[in-house]
Amino acid sequence: MGEFEVHRVRFFGLVPAGVRCMAYQHRGCRLALARTDGAVEVYNFAANYFMEKAIPGHQTRSVEALCWAAGERLFGAGLCGDITEYDLERLHPAYAVDGFGGPIWSMAANNDGTQLAIGCEDGSVKLFQVVPGGVQFEKNLDRQKGRVLCLSWHPSGTHLAAGSINFIRVLDVRSGRTAQRIMVNYHVPKSKKRECVVWSIAFLSSGTIISSDSFGRVQFWDWERGTLQDSHTVSTSAALSLAVSEEEDSIVVGTSAGATYQFQLLPVKTGGQEKRWVKTKPFQHHTHDVRAVVHTPTALISGGLDAQLVIRPLMEKVQKKSYDAVLRKFTLPHRRLVSCARKARLLLFQFSQHLELWRLGSTNKTGKDGEVLPLSRMPEHLLQLKSKGPEHIYCSCVSPCGSWIAYSTASRFHLYRVQHEGDNISIKKVPGVPKLLLPAYQLQCASDSGRLFIASDRGSVHVVQLLEPGGCKHLHTLRPPVQAGLCHHCTVPTYSCAVTALAIHPATNNLFISYSDQQVGLFEFSIPEKQYTAWSRSVQNSGLHRLWLERDSPITHIAFNPKNTSQILLHDVYMLCVLDKSLPLPDNNALLVNQSTLKQLSEPARHRQLHAFKICKKFQPLLFADLLDERCLVTVERPAADINAELPPPVQQKKFGT
């Protein structure tokens, strides 16, 4: 791998927003997730659980419920009182329709995806038809007293179950009338009587209604008789969320204590016909409220206010040696939040509504491998740039020279000129930025800091010239496949999975691409020759080491050693890798992570065991890594303990002996 002086950065104070709600699309194997800051993310489970889409949040927009309808259309609703459909191509809300019931607490789509039901603050349940290009109000169902916190359709689409404070109501969709009213705290002793909040509800095809409530109970009801069939107390705190499998023989429940539980419908006697719900598996993967759960055919999925998305495989439903058999925890986003000014030794950190520019520390000492060197100059927080308005930041970048900062929201693009005069720094907004640059999804500066490339709508890329002392000029827009006055060079062969990272080698002009499925690994495409390189074809033919292919985190950044054209720097959340194309690929019998082993061998033995992959797992969780020069590396970590330290305290639990 060679020796690098490493700037180990841990002062990026990122605190991801908690998970508020989720919705799973069975047909497309996609999970939509909304966070407490209004951001919406879409994960593709068929592509190694990659976060393929992210719609930034909004200061005034909360998302209390998500659902898929009419195939691949995604809808959200929240306390602003609107139903919003999201444009998953342009990554922004397409439109919003007023629900006319005040804040919306719940929303559900029928099995056909043709109707949406919303539960409102004023106690009303309203139906909307899903039509091409929008939704249309259909009718009001019986109104109750108090907000409607949860909704669930009967699979037949004829009835709706609505949960609120102290009551569950069953509504007849055709007539709009209340067909049944169930008092959920009826069985609570009078001495303990208090309001019981029904947080989540599920309506089974058998007519059973399952509810979870603020008393920590999971209860099973016969809706026609309005009677309690069974009750399980899973927590001394609230049971906040529940979800049912497609076969309706298993459910998952999330609590405010951070625990999740699985219930299964099992025979009372072996071989018998009578069945009952049994609590079978408890899990403790979260530290805070589990506000959302999903049950897929192969996994139990939970999202918590600790910002973690946890995918727990059902081992009886998956092959033991497969991607689906791995417990996965996602806290950090699969997108870039850190930009590096290599020449100026600066880092730009992106938060939801501001940017921070830091200067790296320096040392005048040298040392041995693994030794921590004392700093002669401490890292310095140079400036904080706040975004005006309620929109969250989509993307940002700093130029290699450190003199330009750009960022974009949904409706505004901002460019700033940064002046460095000794230890002093000043910033000035660049006037007259062209409005046609929106929307901007990715930003990248040229290596000479003279041009800014802006990835925009429908695959177009705007090229902007950065002018001294502080101006800009739009040069042209690249639109696939052709653009008048410019020549379309070539197209890389399409692949079935999303691109997670790409970079062009500054010396060879070869394009390196990493895909989300990781089955093939890294592609190298020669731009001059318009085809995959010989090295790339050998990788595709021979394959990569099985441990490399079993990784469960996507490559999020690719960089190059400026003094060694054969060395490529890659990283995901859990590892940093220097890939040396001049060395042979390891076979499955070789030790993939062999750095500590190589150090103990003699020189001849070391050469015999050398292979292309040099992997380091010292830096975790890894948000960013890049080469500042051929001997200097910067890594940005965000340990889970640091995130948890900034979260509000969780529900206190009594522990034995305390």
Side-chain angles (χ1 to χ4, degrees):
M1 180 181 286
E3 290 188 357
F4 294 99
E5 179 186 90
V6 180
H7 291 265
R8 193 172 186 180
V9 173
R10 289 191 168 191
F11 46 76
F12 183 14
L14 175 70
V15 181
V19 177
R20 181 62 191 88
C21 55
M22 298 189 295
Y24 187 69
Q25 182 198 31
H26 288 272
R27 185 184 304 173
C29 296
R30 283 175 167 82
L31 178 77
L33 174 154
R35 296 192 178 270
T36 52
D37 63 355
V40 174
E41 302 164 359
V42 177
Y43 292 80
N44 188 344
F45 281 26
N48 201 28
Y49 305 89
F50 179 60
M51 189 180 80
E52 63 179 13
K53 300 179 188 295
I55 301 174
H58 194 281
Q59 195 172 4
T60 63
R61 185 177 68 225
S62 74
V63 184
E64 296 294 316
L66 284 174
C67 65
W68 297 92
E72 297 188 354
R73 294 172 65 180
L74 180 63
F75 294 88
L79 302 185
C80 63
D82 293 337
I83 301 171
T84 301
E85 181 172 3
Y86 295 97
D87 186 332
L88 297 181
E89 293 298 322
R90 303 190 69 188
L91 302 181
H92 67 80
Y95 62 85
V97 175
D98 196 332
F100 294 104
I104 300 172
W105 291 94
S106 53
M107 179 173 62
N110 64 354
N111 269 8
D112 297 331
T114 58
Q115 289 176 299
L116 295 178
I118 59 170
C120 303
E121 175 73 20
D122 66 358
S124 64
V125 175
K126 301 173 186 291
L127 295 186
F128 287 78
Q129 286 186 340
V130 181
V131 297
V135 294
Q136 290 180 353
F137 174 74
E138 185 176 347
K139 63 179 176 180
N140 284 311
L141 306 186
D142 258 2
R143 188 171 170 177
Q144 67 173 40
K145 205 173 185 180
R147 62 183 60 147
V148 180
L149 294 169
C150 51
L151 288 169
S152 180
W153 288 81
H154 188 272
S156 67
T158 59
H159 292 82
L160 267 167
S164 57
I165 297 175
N166 294 332
F167 293 100
I168 294 171
R169 287 188 306 147
V170 179
L171 299 161
D172 187 299
V173 173
R174 178 176 294 179
S175 68
R177 300 296 181 89
T178 299
Q180 185 61 268
R181 187 169 178 265
I182 301 170
M183 189 174 181
V184 294
N185 65 348
Y186 179 77
H187 299 279
V188 178
K190 289 185 178 180
S191 60
K192 296 184 178 179
K193 283 233 172 173
R194 62 185 189 273
E195 283 189 341
C196 179
V197 180
V198 180
W199 284 116
S200 191
I201 201 166
F203 207 162
L204 306 186
S205 55
S206 64
T208 298
I209 293 175
I210 309 173
S211 64
S212 65
D213 60 39
S214 57
F215 289 174
R217 301 174 304 184
V218 178
Q219 297 188 300
F220 301 82
W221 307 87
D222 182 325
W223 88 262
E224 291 183 327
R225 294 183 176 88
T227 55
L228 181 67
Q229 296 175 332
D230 204 355
S231 180
H232 299 262
T233 300
V234 296
S235 177
T236 55
S237 53
L240 297 172
S241 52
L242 68 86
V244 184
S245 66
E246 280 191 295
E247 295 80 10
E248 298 186 349
D249 59 357
S250 174
I251 65 172
V252 57
V253 180
T255 72
S256 61
T260 55
Y261 299 88
Q262 184 185 9
F263 285 78
Q264 291 176 280
L265 188 60
L266 301 174
V268 175
K269 296 182 180 179
T270 305
Q273 295 296 315
E274 184 184 356
K275 295 182 178 181
R276 66 180 303 175
W277 289 95
V278 179
K279 183 173 70 174
T280 54
K281 297 174 184 175
F283 307 108
Q284 186 78 43
H285 297 304
H286 299 273
T287 58
H288 290 66
D289 293 8
V290 180
R291 300 298 298 268
V293 290
V294 163
H295 201 311
T296 74
T298 59
L300 307 179
I301 305 168
S302 56
L305 292 187
D306 58 3
Q308 285 198 108
L309 172 64
V310 177
I311 302 170
R312 174 86 189 191
L314 295 169
M315 298 307 295
E316 67 273 17
K317 301 284 188 179
V318 299
Q319 296 180 5
K320 290 187 178 179
K321 294 184 179 181
S322 69
Y323 279 122
D324 294 331
V326 179
L327 173 67
R328 300 165 189 267
K329 294 183 179 182
F330 300 126
T331 303
L332 303 175
H334 295 163
R335 61 194 184 101
R336 190 181 70 177
L337 297 177
V338 180
S339 181
C340 179
R342 296 184 185 93
K343 296 175 183 176
R345 303 291 175 106
L346 304 177
L347 291 177
L348 183 71
F349 298 145
Q350 178 182 316
F351 296 83
S352 60
Q353 289 191 286
H354 75 273
L355 305 172
E356 289 183 1
L357 186 67
W358 287 74
R359 179 184 286 124
L360 292 171
S362 59
T363 182
N364 51 19
K365 302 291 185 180
T366 59
K368 298 179 181 178
D369 182 25
E371 186 177 348
V372 178
L373 303 179
L375 293 177
S376 58
R377 180 171 183 169
M378 298 297 292
E380 186 179 358
H381 184 193
L382 299 178
L383 65 86
Q384 183 179 98
L385 185 59
K386 293 184 178 180
S387 175
K388 294 181 180 179
E391 295 174 337
H392 289 188
I393 297 172
Y394 267 54
C395 55
S396 61
C397 79
V398 59
S399 63
C401 67
S403 298
W404 302 89
I405 291 176
Y407 76 91
S408 177
T409 65
S411 63
R412 294 184 178 183
F413 176 81
H414 301 267
L415 181 63
Y416 292 86
R417 180 70 164 93
V418 183
Q419 298 282 357
H420 301 268
E421 298 176 2
D423 291 336
N424 297 323
I425 188 169
S426 62
I427 188 168
K428 183 180 180 181
K429 188 173 183 179
V430 176
V433 174
K435 293 185 178 181
L436 58 84
L437 303 180
L438 291 170
Y441 302 129
Q442 292 286 343
L443 300 172
Q444 182 71 44
C445 270
S447 58
D448 63 358
S449 301
R451 287 166 296 167
L452 176 66
F453 301 92
I454 302 166
S456 189
D457 195 24
R458 290 175 170 77
S460 62
V461 177
H462 303 292
V463 183
V464 174
Q465 185 177 10
L466 303 176
L467 303 171
E468 297 293 348
C472 69
K473 177 185 177 182
H474 179 254
L475 296 179
H476 41 253
T477 297
L478 309 175
R479 292 189 178 92
V482 293
Q483 164 69 22
L486 298 170
C487 179
H488 174 258
H489 181 69
C490 65
T491 300
V492 178
T494 57
Y495 194 67
S496 58
C497 290
V499 174
T500 66
L502 77 166
I504 298 175
H505 199 293
T508 64
N509 212 23
N510 290 343
L511 174 67
F512 286 81
I513 313 169
S514 175
Y515 291 98
S516 60
D517 68 347
Q518 304 178 153
Q519 284 297 312
V520 180
L522 191 69
F523 287 83
E524 183 185 26
F525 184 84
S526 172
I527 296 176
E529 298 179 9
K530 305 180 184 180
Q531 63 180 359
Y532 289 121
T533 65
W535 180 85
S536 185
R537 294 183 188 278
S538 69
V539 170
Q540 295 172 50
N541 291 332
S542 60
L544 293 175
H545 197 285
R546 59 179 178 80
L547 293 180
W548 177 269
L549 299 178
E550 289 173 2
R551 291 168 28 257
D552 60 358
S553 181
I555 298 294
T556 54
H557 187 65
I558 301 172
F560 308 100
N561 189 334
K563 297 296 183 181
N564 189 333
T565 58
S566 65
Q567 288 189 349
I568 308 158
L569 178 74
L570 317 166
H571 82 81
D572 61 21
V573 175
Y574 302 110
M575 68 93 198
L576 175 69
C577 174
V578 175
L579 177 60
D580 193 332
K581 291 170 51 188
S582 66
L583 295 174
L585 295 171
D587 58 35
N588 283 334
N589 296 321
L591 191 64
L592 182 65
V593 184
N594 64 355
Q595 299 308 296
S596 58
T597 303
L598 291 177
K599 291 179 182 178
Q600 301 170 12
L601 300 178
S602 63
E603 191 69 23
R606 187 181 303 131
H607 279 285
R608 287 196 299 269
Q609 295 198 27
L610 281 176
H611 59 67
F613 288 90
K614 306 297 183 288
I615 294 174
C616 174
K617 295 190 175 183
K618 182 177 182 179
F619 312 108
Q620 293 186 8
L622 196 56
L623 270 170
F624 180 79
D626 203 358
L627 285 164
L628 298 174
D629 56 45
E630 69 272 15
R631 286 297 176 192
C632 191
L633 179 72
V634 60
T635 64
V636 180
E637 300 168 86
R638 188 57 173 154
D642 292 352
I643 295 175
N644 291 335
E646 297 192 40
L647 294 175
V651 173
Q652 295 297 317
Q653 300 181 64
K654 289 186 177 180
K655 295 184 179 179
F656 180 77
T658 61

